[in-house]
Amino acid sequence: MKLVRISLLVACALAAPLAMGQNTAKIKIGLMLPYTGTYAALGNAIENGFRLYVEEKGGKIAGREVEYVKVDDESDPSKATDNVNKLVKRDNVDVLVGTVHSGVAMAMAKVAKDTGTLLIIPNAGADAVTGPMCAPNIFRSSFSSYQPAYAMGEVAAKKGGKKAVTITHKYAAGDESVRAFREAFEKNGGQVIKDLNLPFPSVEYQALLTEIASLKPDLVYTFFAGGAAVKFVKDYAAAGLKKSIPLYGAGFLTDGTLDAQGADAEGLFTTLHYADSLGTPRDNSFRLAYAKTYKLQPDVYAVQGYDAAQILGIGATAVKGDLSKKAEFATAVEAAKIDSPRGVFTLSKAHNPVQDIYLRQVVGKENKVMGVAIKALADPARGCRM
Ligand code: PHB
């Protein structure tokens, strides 16, 4: 009799949180990011931004404490499927957050789609993940390759350049960035006369810079990021090209890189969904909190990490922490106005940010806002059926 009463008590205690509709176990978050290699600084900034949001919420998401499981993906697509499977199958994470490199992100999206695991992409631009690979459980807090590049195509054509050469790493993000630049540049009367590229993550730019000098275009458009962007901007200036052929880029070229690029970046024009001098109360308080916590200035990657956590927070709160309710999670996120340091944005039906793309210019150690290149730009989500 006594035994029955005790087991009844235990059963009630176990059922109580569920009866109240609240799961109290820790949320396991798989952070799959580059912590080594050319994109290492980007991975760290994303994690910092993500943790900052969670700390602002008392270390919890929807009332559940958070546990992180981290994997260094090395920006290596050949290791990506194994890495993501470890997080999903061995560590049983509730949600995947990653990554920076588009090739790795596509492997993550495939596993997320096959297993139904929630995935929030805090950087990688691969058009496919909110295009043909789009899925109800896949979200992006950053941008598609198309967005900053398309905006720069318009800007560059209007700034008077007729003939452009493009240069980038040969992989999805680079190819897509160049394609979207060309689409807008040629629609606005320009012509891309040559696409140059080199394998990721090579930074052997010399032969290509020599080719640019002999092609003599009106301007160069480029997609490089992280350590590769630092070296490209320095090599471009050292080759004497900065004075003669204006260099334009998707904003990654000068984001999180200005300390290392120094005077060689001064004056460069780029387009991106963030800038250093927005001056809004929301951005000011974010920048202050980030600088206080990490003794570092935030960049676009920090913002994207912060907003990945916001997306998780919005969805998880709507389902009272029960992340198995994927459809309700998605409905809440789809309806949300996300209060980002970049400015408020919404997610498209394909779950990619609809956002303003700023024109920025490097002034000292800042990517200063010169205006909005395109307002509320949505990715065309070509191939997404959802
Ligand atoms: C990408 O691979 O999609 C990528 C990498 C670095 C960036 C932006 C995009 O800064």
Coordinates of all heavy atoms in Angstrom, one line a residue, residues 39 42 99-105 123-126 140 143 145 171-174 176 200 223-226 251-253 255 300-301 304, ligand 1:
Y39 N 37.7 31.3 -41.7 CA 36.5 31.9 -41.2 C 36.4 31.7 -39.7 O 35.3 31.9 -39.1 CB 35.3 31.2 -41.8 CG 35.1 31.5 -43.3 CD1 34.3 30.6 -44.1 CD2 35.6 32.6 -43.9 CE1 34.1 30.9 -45.5 CE2 35.4 32.9 -45.2 CZ 34.6 32.0 -46.0 OH 34.4 32.3 -47.4
L42 N 34.7 34.5 -37.7 CA 33.3 34.6 -38.0 C 32.5 33.7 -37.1 O 31.5 34.1 -36.5 CB 33.0 34.3 -39.5 CG 33.5 35.3 -40.5 CD1 35.0 35.6 -40.5 CD2 33.0 34.9 -41.9
T99 N 25.9 27.2 -40.4 CA 27.2 27.6 -40.1 C 27.6 28.7 -41.0 O 26.8 29.4 -41.5 CB 28.2 26.4 -40.4 OG1 29.5 26.7 -39.9 CG2 28.2 26.0 -41.8
V100 N 28.9 28.9 -41.2 CA 29.4 30.1 -42.0 C 29.5 29.7 -43.5 O 29.1 30.4 -44.3 CB 30.8 30.5 -41.4 CG1 31.4 31.5 -42.4 CG2 30.6 31.1 -40.0
H101 N 30.2 28.6 -43.7 CA 30.5 28.2 -45.1 C 29.3 27.5 -45.8 O 28.7 26.6 -45.3 CB 31.7 27.2 -45.0 CG 32.3 26.8 -46.3 ND1 31.7 25.9 -47.2 CD2 33.5 27.1 -47.0 CE1 32.4 25.7 -48.3 NE2 33.5 26.4 -48.1
S102 N 29.0 28.0 -47.0 CA 27.9 27.5 -47.7 C 27.9 26.0 -48.0 O 26.9 25.4 -48.0 CB 27.7 28.3 -49.0 OG 26.9 29.5 -48.8
G103 N 29.1 25.5 -48.4 CA 29.1 24.1 -48.7 C 28.8 23.2 -47.5 O 28.2 22.2 -47.6
V104 N 29.3 23.7 -46.4 CA 29.0 22.9 -45.1 C 27.6 23.1 -44.7 O 26.9 22.1 -44.3 CB 30.0 23.4 -44.0 CG1 29.7 22.7 -42.7 CG2 31.4 23.3 -44.4
A105 N 27.0 24.3 -44.9 CA 25.6 24.5 -44.6 C 24.7 23.7 -45.4 O 23.6 23.2 -44.9 CB 25.3 26.0 -44.8
N123 N 24.7 32.3 -40.8 CA 25.5 33.1 -41.8 C 25.4 32.6 -43.2 O 24.9 33.3 -44.1 CB 27.0 33.1 -41.5 CG 27.8 33.9 -42.5 OD1 27.7 35.1 -42.5 ND2 28.5 33.2 -43.4
A124 N 25.8 31.3 -43.5 CA 26.0 30.8 -44.9 C 24.9 31.3 -45.8 O 23.7 31.2 -45.5 CB 26.0 29.3 -44.9
G125 N 25.3 31.9 -47.0 CA 24.4 32.5 -47.9 C 23.8 31.5 -48.9 O 22.8 31.9 -49.6
A126 N 24.3 30.3 -49.0 CA 23.8 29.4 -50.1 C 22.4 29.6 -50.5 O 21.5 29.3 -49.6 CB 24.1 27.9 -49.6
R140 N 16.9 30.9 -41.6 CA 18.1 31.6 -41.7 C 18.0 33.0 -41.1 O 17.1 33.7 -41.4 CB 18.5 31.7 -43.2 CG 19.8 32.4 -43.4 CD 20.6 32.0 -44.7 NE 19.8 32.0 -45.9 CZ 20.2 31.4 -47.0 NH1 21.4 30.8 -47.0 NH2 19.5 31.5 -48.1
F143 N 21.2 36.0 -44.5 CA 21.0 36.6 -45.8 C 21.1 35.5 -46.8 O 21.6 34.4 -46.4 CB 22.1 37.7 -46.1 CG 23.5 37.0 -46.1 CD1 24.0 36.5 -47.3 CD2 24.2 36.7 -45.0 CE1 25.2 35.8 -47.3 CE2 25.4 36.0 -45.0 CZ 25.9 35.6 -46.2
S145 N 23.0 34.6 -50.5 CA 24.1 35.2 -51.4 C 23.6 36.2 -52.3 O 24.3 37.2 -52.6 CB 24.7 34.0 -52.2 OG 25.2 33.0 -51.4
Y171 N 33.2 28.5 -55.1 CA 32.3 27.6 -54.3 C 30.9 28.3 -54.3 O 30.8 29.4 -54.8 CB 32.8 27.2 -53.0 CG 32.7 28.3 -51.8 CD1 31.9 28.0 -50.7 CD2 33.3 29.5 -51.9 CE1 31.7 28.9 -49.7 CE2 33.2 30.4 -50.8 CZ 32.4 30.1 -49.8 OH 32.3 31.0 -48.7
A172 N 29.9 27.6 -53.8 CA 28.6 28.1 -53.9 C 28.4 29.6 -53.6 O 27.8 30.3 -54.4 CB 27.6 27.3 -53.0
A173 N 28.9 30.0 -52.4 CA 28.7 31.4 -52.0 C 29.3 32.4 -53.0 O 28.7 33.4 -53.4 CB 29.2 31.6 -50.6
G174 N 30.5 32.1 -53.5 CA 31.2 33.0 -54.4 C 30.5 33.0 -55.8 O 30.2 34.1 -56.3
E176 N 27.4 32.2 -56.5 CA 26.0 32.8 -56.4 C 26.1 34.4 -56.3 O 25.3 35.1 -56.8 CB 25.3 32.3 -55.2 CG 24.9 30.8 -55.4 CD 24.4 30.1 -54.2 OE1 24.4 30.8 -53.1 OE2 24.1 28.9 -54.2
F200 N 38.7 27.7 -52.8 CA 38.6 28.0 -51.4 C 39.6 27.0 -50.7 O 39.6 25.8 -51.0 CB 37.2 27.8 -50.9 CG 37.0 28.1 -49.5 CD1 36.7 29.3 -49.0 CD2 37.2 27.1 -48.5 CE1 36.6 29.6 -47.7 CE2 37.0 27.3 -47.2 CZ 36.7 28.6 -46.7
F223 N 33.6 38.9 -53.8 CA 33.1 38.2 -52.6 C 34.3 37.5 -52.0 O 34.7 36.5 -52.5 CB 32.0 37.2 -52.9 CG 31.6 36.4 -51.7 CD1 30.7 36.7 -50.8 CD2 32.3 35.2 -51.6 CE1 30.5 36.0 -49.7 CE2 32.1 34.4 -50.4 CZ 31.2 34.8 -49.5
F224 N 34.8 38.1 -50.9 CA 35.7 37.4 -50.0 C 35.3 37.7 -48.6 O 34.7 38.8 -48.3 CB 37.2 37.8 -50.2 CG 37.7 37.3 -51.5 CD1 38.1 38.1 -52.5 CD2 37.9 35.9 -51.7 CE1 38.6 37.7 -53.7 CE2 38.5 35.4 -52.9 CZ 38.8 36.3 -53.9
A225 N 35.7 36.9 -47.6 CA 35.3 37.1 -46.2 C 36.4 36.6 -45.3 O 37.3 35.9 -45.7 CB 34.0 36.4 -45.9
G226 N 36.4 37.1 -44.1 CA 37.3 36.6 -43.1 C 38.8 36.9 -43.4 O 39.1 37.9 -44.0
G251 N 29.5 43.1 -48.5 CA 30.0 43.8 -47.3 C 31.0 42.9 -46.5 O 31.7 43.5 -45.6
F252 N 31.0 41.6 -46.7 CA 31.9 40.8 -45.9 C 33.3 41.1 -46.1 O 34.2 40.9 -45.3 CB 31.6 39.3 -46.3 CG 30.2 39.0 -46.4 CD1 29.5 38.8 -47.6 CD2 29.4 38.9 -45.3 CE1 28.2 38.6 -47.7 CE2 28.0 38.7 -45.3 CZ 27.4 38.5 -46.6
L253 N 33.6 41.8 -47.3 CA 34.9 42.2 -47.6 C 35.6 43.1 -46.6 O 36.8 43.0 -46.4 CB 34.9 43.0 -49.0 CG 36.2 43.4 -49.6 CD1 36.9 42.1 -50.1 CD2 36.0 44.3 -50.8
D255 N 33.9 43.5 -43.3 CA 33.3 43.4 -42.0 C 34.0 42.5 -41.0 O 34.4 41.4 -41.4 CB 31.8 42.9 -42.2 CG 30.8 43.7 -41.3 OD1 30.4 44.7 -41.9 OD2 30.6 43.3 -40.2
V300 N 28.8 42.1 -38.4 CA 27.6 41.5 -38.9 C 27.4 40.0 -38.4 O 26.3 39.6 -38.2 CB 27.6 41.5 -40.5 CG1 28.6 40.6 -41.1 CG2 26.2 41.2 -41.1
Y301 N 28.5 39.3 -38.2 CA 28.4 37.9 -37.8 C 27.8 37.8 -36.3 O 27.0 37.0 -36.0 CB 29.7 37.2 -37.9 CG 30.4 37.4 -39.2 CD1 31.4 38.3 -39.4 CD2 29.8 36.8 -40.4 CE1 31.9 38.6 -40.7 CE2 30.3 37.0 -41.6 CZ 31.4 37.9 -41.8 OH 31.9 38.2 -43.0
Q304 N 24.1 38.3 -36.6 CA 23.4 37.2 -37.1 C 23.3 36.0 -36.1 O 22.3 35.3 -36.0 CB 24.2 36.6 -38.4 CG 24.1 37.6 -39.5 CD 25.0 37.3 -40.7 OE1 25.0 37.9 -41.7 NE2 26.0 36.4 -40.5
Ligands
PHB1 C1 29.3 31.5 -47.3 O1 30.1 30.6 -47.5 O2 28.1 31.5 -47.5 C2 29.8 32.8 -46.6 C3 31.0 32.7 -46.0 C4 31.5 33.9 -45.3 C5 30.7 35.1 -45.4 C6 29.5 35.1 -46.1 C7 29.1 33.9 -46.7 O3 31.1 36.2 -44.8

